[in-house]
Amino acid sequence: MLDSHVPATHDFSIITRVDDLINKAIKRNASDIHLESTAYELRVRYRIDGVLYDEQKIGKNVGLQIVSRIKILARINIAERRIPQDGKFTSQGTLSPIDLRVSTFPSLHGEKVVIRILDRSEHTIELEKLGLQQAVFDTFKDLLQSSNGFFLTTGPTGSGKTTTLYAALTSLHSPEKNIITLEDPIEYNIEGITQGQIHPEAGFTFERGMRSLLRQDPDIAMVGEIRDKQTARIAIEAALTGHLVLSTLHTNNACSSIMRLMDMGIEPFLINASLTGVLAQRLVRKICVYCKEEVIPTDQEALFLEKLSLSFKTIFRGSGCSHCFNLGYKGRTGIFELLVINNALRALIIQSPQYEVLYQKALDQGMQPLHSDAAQKLADGTISLHEFIRVIV
């Protein structure tokens, strides 16, 4: 049963249907539930391993009651349908509590509701399980051992940046180190680490939080996201004064992060003095190990592989089974691109180069691009050609 007071007037069957809707999503390891009001029904979709899948639609009248029930659970104003609202509640129906964040959005035919599922038991991930190739893993681990410096993870929304930083902080945690984070929102609790929740409406912004954080004698600081020049500058100043600072940026690849910092107004000499590395990443679905099969590429697939300069006589795919709910995929892994800032790159950065020049220099210095890591995982049967195309091409 979900944790909330239930008004006596609420239909028990609706309570059961909402419980079933949420429990089914949790069982299937969905990250989000989408409930979208249309003219005649409520469309239901689960996001599983980054992809949305349709579930059985629900009639309009019952759908309205389901939305109302969820708003009651999340302690959202049930009568207000004209503006977006946010809330949260906790499911107690499993072995461990599961936090559910609710967001409503007014639309033409009613409210759309998105429920983010945050399973506290699923967040602990080790660096070794992120999907890093051994050479990249070893270099990344070395960078994390630095006593100071500014390290970034980058990629689009939903690419696993925060998960990577959580894994990094978990590996760094020890009684000798004071680790503090600034997050918006805090997705998971990490035992032994001080995690700060940003509240802009109360004046607790990333910029203000970062200044206060530095007065807490941290050894390691994690800033959820670099959003502006002020936050970037404070993070860099912290890195220059003996702190290891980890953060994220929204850019397409590693080299773009350097260009983004310059666009924010950060001087090249400050980037050179503080930035130690950038890890760009994507999340891709793994082929289900229970129904993985080796097949010969079709003529169209072979032609596509040829265009990518890839030569595979066979590729792998998932045929679908009960373990993966007939999707052919189960779980996700990362595709990575690690840029290490060395002296050759610093000499170029100080010249404020064009992106193409910087990217070529990074390749010359041994950076493995995202598509190369993806091609390696395609070759060893971790991912399918369809997934390679969906995420990388």
Side-chain angles (χ1 to χ4, degrees):
M1 180 63 67
L2 299 171
D3 180 23
S4 178
H5 171 69
V6 181
T9 58
H10 215 89
D11 189 341
F12 183 75
S13 65
I14 296 300
I15 295 172
T16 302
R17 291 195 69 165
V18 170
D19 286 358
D20 290 344
L21 191 75
I22 292 171
N23 290 333
K24 182 179 179 182
I26 293 170
K27 182 180 179 181
R28 297 185 65 175
N29 293 319
S31 61
D32 302 87
I33 304 171
H34 286 239
L35 306 174
E36 183 177 349
S37 296
T38 67
Y40 305 106
E41 58 202 2
L42 183 71
R43 185 185 186 192
V44 180
R45 290 185 290 174
Y46 291 157
R47 188 178 294 279
I48 302 171
D49 292 333
V51 177
L52 284 169
Y53 295 95
D54 275 308
E55 294 292 313
Q56 185 175 356
K57 294 179 175 64
I58 298 172
K60 186 73 172 181
N61 289 336
V62 175
L64 289 172
Q65 295 178 66
I66 286 174
V67 169
S68 295
R69 166 64 180 164
I70 291 168
K71 291 174 72 173
I72 289 171
L73 285 167
R75 294 177 172 82
I76 291 173
N77 184 352
I78 192 172
E80 180 58 77
R81 301 183 179 91
R82 301 164 298 174
I83 60 174
Q85 298 186 82
D86 296 295
K88 60 183 178 181
F89 62 101
T90 302
S91 168
Q92 300 287 2
T94 55
L95 295 177
S96 63
I98 295 177
D99 296 329
L100 299 147
R101 288 209 316 262
V102 178
S103 172
T104 69
F105 187 85
S107 67
L108 177 62
H109 298 294
E111 292 174 288
K112 174 168 183 176
V113 178
V114 175
I115 305 172
R116 169 62 59 90
I117 301 170
L118 301 172
D119 189 345
R120 300 176 193 174
S121 66
E122 293 291 328
H123 81 278
T124 51
I125 186 167
E126 301 171 6
L127 280 178
E128 291 82 359
K129 295 180 180 179
L130 291 175
L132 294 157
Q133 305 289 356
Q134 190 61 50
V136 175
F137 172 82
D138 292 340
T139 304
F140 182 36
K141 197 85 181 281
D142 288 343
L143 290 172
L144 292 177
Q145 298 307 313
S146 302
S147 59
N148 58 73
F150 185 35
F151 186 89
L152 290 169
T153 61
T154 187
T157 301
S159 59
K161 301 184 296 295
T162 303
T163 299
T164 296
L165 289 186
Y166 277 150
L169 292 179
T170 301
S171 74
L172 291 169
H173 173 55
S174 71
E176 296 81 22
K177 292 179 180 177
N178 178 23
I179 303 176
I180 305 178
T181 75
L182 287 176
E183 304 175 58
D184 183 24
I186 297 173
E187 300 222 356
Y188 301 106
N189 174 55
I190 306 176
E191 192 68 32
I193 292 176
T194 302
Q195 295 174 265
Q197 169 69 58
I198 295 300
H199 287 291
E201 64 279 0
F204 188 23
T205 62
F206 275 111
E207 180 185 357
R208 185 173 180 179
M210 194 67 196
R211 293 187 187 280
S212 298
L213 181 155
L214 294 176
R215 293 193 287 270
Q216 293 291 312
D217 186 33
D219 297 293
I220 301 167
M222 191 270 270
V223 186
E225 184 183 349
I226 300 296
R227 297 183 178 179
D228 51 46
K229 179 181 178 180
Q230 290 73 24
T231 307
R233 185 173 287 276
I234 297 168
I236 287 172
E237 289 173 358
L240 292 174
T241 54
H243 306 87
L244 176 60
V245 181
L246 311 177
S247 192
T248 72
L249 266 179
H250 287 283
T251 60
N252 286 330
N253 55 39
C255 290
S256 294
S257 295
I258 296 174
M259 309 307 294
R260 175 73 178 126
L261 290 173
M262 290 182 183
D263 290 342
M264 284 182 176
I266 304 300
E267 295 85 348
F269 76 89
L270 284 177
I271 297 173
N272 275 348
S274 60
L275 190 65
T276 57
V278 182
L279 185 70
Q281 64 181 83
R282 300 287 190 278
L283 281 177
V284 291
R285 294 177 294 172
K286 295 191 294 184
I287 298 173
C288 174
V289 296
Y290 296 100
C291 60
K292 179 161 66 173
E293 58 183 11
E294 193 171 4
V295 297
I296 298 173
T298 64
D299 291 342
Q300 186 177 0
E301 289 171 336
L303 182 62
F304 192 85
L305 288 168
E306 185 179 339
K307 289 181 179 178
L308 295 172
S309 300
L310 299 174
S311 178
F312 299 141
K313 292 183 178 179
T314 60
I315 55 176
F316 294 86
R317 69 182 181 192
S319 59
C321 66
S322 60
H323 295 280
C324 61
F325 302 98
N326 291 314
L327 300 177
Y329 299 97
K330 189 171 180 63
R332 288 190 287 180
T333 190
I335 300 294
F336 298 97
E337 172 183 280
L338 179 60
L339 174 66
V340 179
I341 309 300
N342 57 24
N343 290 333
L345 284 167
R346 290 190 179 95
L348 183 59
I349 291 170
I350 203 68
Q351 303 172 28
S352 300
Q354 294 294 316
Y355 166 79
E356 292 77 11
V357 177
L358 183 62
Y359 182 73
Q360 187 57 53
K361 175 61 75 171
L363 293 178
D364 294 342
Q365 293 297 306
M367 182 185 76
Q368 181 189 51
L370 285 166
H371 64 81
S372 293
D373 189 23
Q376 192 163 343
K377 289 181 168 69
L378 176 63
D380 64 23
T382 302
I383 67 173
S384 67
L385 179 59
H386 177 272
E387 194 69 356
F388 180 98
I389 295 169
R390 184 182 73 86
V391 176
I392 300 298
V393 177

Coordinates of all heavy atoms in Angstrom, one line a residue, residues 17 34-45 54-67 107-113:
R17 N -6.1 0.4 -8.5 CA -5.6 0.6 -9.8 C -4.4 1.4 -9.8 O -3.4 1.1 -10.6 CB -6.7 1.2 -10.7 CG -7.9 0.3 -11.0 CD -8.7 0.7 -12.1 NE -8.0 0.6 -13.4 CZ -8.7 0.6 -14.6 NH1 -10.0 0.8 -14.6 NH2 -8.0 0.5 -15.7
H34 N 4.3 7.8 -17.5 CA 3.7 9.0 -18.2 C 2.2 8.7 -18.3 O 1.8 7.7 -18.9 CB 4.3 9.1 -19.6 CG 5.6 9.7 -19.6 ND1 6.0 10.9 -20.3 CD2 6.8 9.3 -19.0 CE1 7.2 11.1 -20.1 NE2 7.8 10.2 -19.4
L35 N 1.4 9.6 -17.8 CA -0.1 9.6 -17.9 C -0.5 10.8 -18.7 O -0.4 11.9 -18.2 CB -0.7 9.5 -16.5 CG -0.2 8.4 -15.6 CD1 -0.8 8.6 -14.2 CD2 -0.6 7.0 -16.1
E36 N -1.0 10.6 -19.9 CA -1.3 11.7 -20.8 C -2.8 11.7 -21.1 O -3.3 10.8 -21.7 CB -0.5 11.6 -22.0 CG -0.7 12.8 -23.0 CD 0.2 12.7 -24.2 OE1 1.1 11.8 -24.2 OE2 0.0 13.4 -25.2
S37 N -3.5 12.8 -20.7 CA -4.9 12.9 -21.0 C -5.2 13.2 -22.5 O -4.6 14.2 -23.0 CB -5.6 14.0 -20.1 OG -5.5 13.6 -18.8
T38 N -6.0 12.5 -23.2 CA -6.4 12.8 -24.5 C -7.9 13.0 -24.5 O -8.5 13.1 -23.5 CB -6.1 11.6 -25.5 OG1 -6.9 10.5 -25.1 CG2 -4.6 11.2 -25.4
A39 N -8.5 13.2 -25.7 CA -9.9 13.6 -25.8 C -10.8 12.5 -25.2 O -11.8 12.8 -24.6 CB -10.3 13.9 -27.2
Y40 N -10.4 11.2 -25.3 CA -11.3 10.1 -25.0 C -10.7 9.1 -23.9 O -11.4 8.3 -23.5 CB -11.7 9.4 -26.2 CG -12.3 10.2 -27.3 CD1 -11.6 10.6 -28.4 CD2 -13.6 10.8 -27.1 CE1 -12.2 11.4 -29.4 CE2 -14.2 11.6 -28.1 CZ -13.4 11.9 -29.2 OH -14.0 12.7 -30.2
E41 N -9.4 9.3 -23.6 CA -8.8 8.3 -22.7 C -7.6 8.8 -22.1 O -7.2 10.0 -22.3 CB -8.5 7.0 -23.5 CG -7.6 7.3 -24.7 CD -7.6 6.3 -25.8 OE1 -8.4 5.3 -25.7 OE2 -6.8 6.4 -26.8
L42 N -7.0 8.0 -21.2 CA -5.8 8.3 -20.5 C -4.7 7.4 -21.1 O -4.8 6.2 -20.9 CB -5.9 8.1 -19.0 CG -4.6 8.5 -18.2 CD1 -4.4 10.0 -18.2 CD2 -4.7 8.0 -16.8
R43 N -3.7 8.0 -21.8 CA -2.6 7.2 -22.4 C -1.6 6.9 -21.3 O -1.2 7.8 -20.6 CB -2.0 7.9 -23.5 CG -0.9 7.2 -24.3 CD -0.3 8.0 -25.3 NE 0.7 7.3 -26.1 CZ 1.5 7.8 -27.0 NH1 1.6 9.1 -27.1 NH2 2.4 7.1 -27.7
V44 N -1.2 5.6 -21.2 CA -0.2 5.2 -20.1 C 1.0 4.7 -20.8 O 1.0 3.9 -21.7 CB -0.8 4.1 -19.2 CG1 0.2 3.7 -18.2 CG2 -2.1 4.6 -18.6
R45 N 2.2 5.2 -20.4 CA 3.5 4.8 -20.9 C 4.5 4.6 -19.8 O 4.5 5.4 -18.9 CB 4.0 5.7 -22.0 CG 3.2 5.7 -23.3 CD 3.9 6.6 -24.4 NE 3.8 8.0 -24.0 CZ 4.3 9.0 -24.7 NH1 5.1 8.7 -25.8 NH2 4.2 10.3 -24.4
D54 N 4.1 1.9 -24.7 CA 2.7 2.0 -24.4 C 2.2 0.9 -23.5 O 2.6 -0.3 -23.8 CB 1.9 2.1 -25.7 CG 1.9 3.5 -26.3 OD1 1.5 4.4 -25.5 OD2 2.2 3.7 -27.4
E55 N 1.3 1.2 -22.6 CA 0.6 0.2 -21.8 C -0.9 0.4 -22.3 O -1.2 1.2 -23.1 CB 0.7 0.5 -20.3 CG 2.1 0.3 -19.8 CD 2.6 -1.2 -19.9 OE1 1.8 -2.0 -19.4 OE2 3.7 -1.5 -20.3
Q56 N -1.7 -0.4 -21.7 CA -3.2 -0.4 -22.0 C -3.8 1.0 -21.6 O -3.6 1.4 -20.5 CB -3.9 -1.5 -21.3 CG -5.4 -1.6 -21.7 CD -6.1 -2.8 -21.1 OE1 -5.4 -3.6 -20.4 NE2 -7.4 -3.0 -21.3
K57 N -4.5 1.5 -22.6 CA -5.1 2.8 -22.3 C -6.3 2.7 -21.3 O -6.8 1.6 -21.1 CB -5.6 3.5 -23.6 CG -4.5 3.8 -24.6 CD -5.1 4.4 -25.9 CE -4.0 4.9 -26.8 NZ -3.1 3.8 -27.3
I58 N -6.6 3.8 -20.6 CA -7.6 3.8 -19.6 C -8.7 4.8 -20.0 O -8.5 5.9 -20.6 CB -7.0 4.2 -18.2 CG1 -6.0 3.2 -17.8 CG2 -8.1 4.3 -17.2 CD1 -5.2 3.6 -16.6
G59 N -10.0 4.4 -19.8 CA -11.1 5.3 -20.1 C -11.0 6.7 -19.5 O -10.4 6.8 -18.4
K60 N -11.6 7.7 -20.1 CA -11.5 9.0 -19.7 C -11.9 9.3 -18.2 O -11.2 9.9 -17.4 CB -12.3 9.9 -20.6 CG -12.1 11.4 -20.3 CD -10.8 11.9 -20.8 CE -10.7 13.4 -20.7 NZ -9.4 14.0 -21.2
N61 N -13.1 8.7 -17.9 CA -13.6 9.0 -16.5 C -12.7 8.4 -15.5 O -12.4 9.0 -14.4 CB -15.1 8.5 -16.4 CG -16.0 9.3 -17.2 OD1 -15.8 10.5 -17.5 ND2 -17.2 8.7 -17.6
V62 N -12.4 7.1 -15.7 CA -11.5 6.4 -14.7 C -10.1 7.1 -14.7 O -9.5 7.3 -13.6 CB -11.3 4.9 -15.1 CG1 -10.3 4.3 -14.2 CG2 -12.7 4.2 -15.0
G63 N -9.7 7.6 -15.9 CA -8.4 8.3 -16.0 C -8.3 9.5 -15.1 O -7.3 9.8 -14.4
L64 N -9.4 10.3 -15.1 CA -9.5 11.5 -14.3 C -9.4 11.2 -12.8 O -8.8 11.9 -12.0 CB -10.8 12.2 -14.6 CG -10.9 12.9 -16.0 CD1 -12.4 13.4 -16.2 CD2 -9.9 14.1 -16.1
Q65 N -10.1 10.1 -12.4 CA -10.0 9.6 -11.0 C -8.6 9.2 -10.6 O -8.1 9.4 -9.5 CB -11.0 8.5 -10.8 CG -12.4 8.9 -11.0 CD -13.4 7.8 -10.7 OE1 -13.5 7.2 -9.6 NE2 -14.1 7.3 -11.8
I66 N -7.9 8.5 -11.6 CA -6.5 8.1 -11.3 C -5.6 9.3 -11.1 O -4.8 9.3 -10.2 CB -6.0 7.2 -12.5 CG1 -6.7 5.8 -12.3 CG2 -4.5 7.0 -12.5 CD1 -6.4 4.9 -13.5
V67 N -5.8 10.3 -12.0 CA -5.0 11.5 -11.9 C -5.2 12.2 -10.5 O -4.3 12.6 -9.8 CB -5.2 12.5 -13.0 CG1 -4.6 13.9 -12.8 CG2 -4.7 11.9 -14.3
S107 N -2.8 20.6 -20.1 CA -2.8 20.4 -21.6 C -4.2 20.6 -22.1 O -5.2 20.8 -21.4 CB -2.2 19.1 -22.0 OG -3.1 18.0 -21.6
L108 N -4.4 20.5 -23.4 CA -5.6 20.7 -24.1 C -6.8 19.9 -23.5 O -7.9 20.3 -23.3 CB -5.5 20.5 -25.6 CG -6.8 20.6 -26.4 CD1 -7.3 22.1 -26.3 CD2 -6.5 20.2 -27.9
H109 N -6.5 18.6 -23.3 CA -7.5 17.6 -22.9 C -7.4 17.2 -21.4 O -8.0 16.3 -21.0 CB -7.5 16.4 -23.7 CG -7.7 16.6 -25.2 ND1 -8.9 17.1 -25.7 CD2 -6.9 16.5 -26.2 CE1 -8.9 17.2 -27.0 NE2 -7.6 16.9 -27.4
G110 N -6.7 18.0 -20.6 CA -6.5 17.7 -19.2 C -5.1 17.7 -18.8 O -4.2 18.0 -19.6
E111 N -4.8 17.2 -17.6 CA -3.4 17.3 -17.1 C -2.6 16.0 -17.5 O -3.1 14.9 -17.6 CB -3.5 17.3 -15.6 CG -4.0 18.6 -15.0 CD -4.1 18.6 -13.5 OE1 -5.0 17.9 -13.0 OE2 -3.4 19.2 -12.8
K112 N -1.4 16.3 -17.9 CA -0.4 15.2 -18.1 C 0.3 15.1 -16.8 O 0.7 16.0 -16.2 CB 0.5 15.5 -19.2 CG 1.6 14.4 -19.3 CD 2.4 14.5 -20.6 CE 3.4 13.4 -20.6 NZ 4.2 13.3 -21.8
V113 N 0.5 13.8 -16.4 CA 1.3 13.5 -15.1 C 2.5 12.6 -15.4 O 2.3 11.6 -16.2 CB 0.3 12.8 -14.1 CG1 1.1 12.4 -12.8 CG2 -0.9 13.6 -13.8

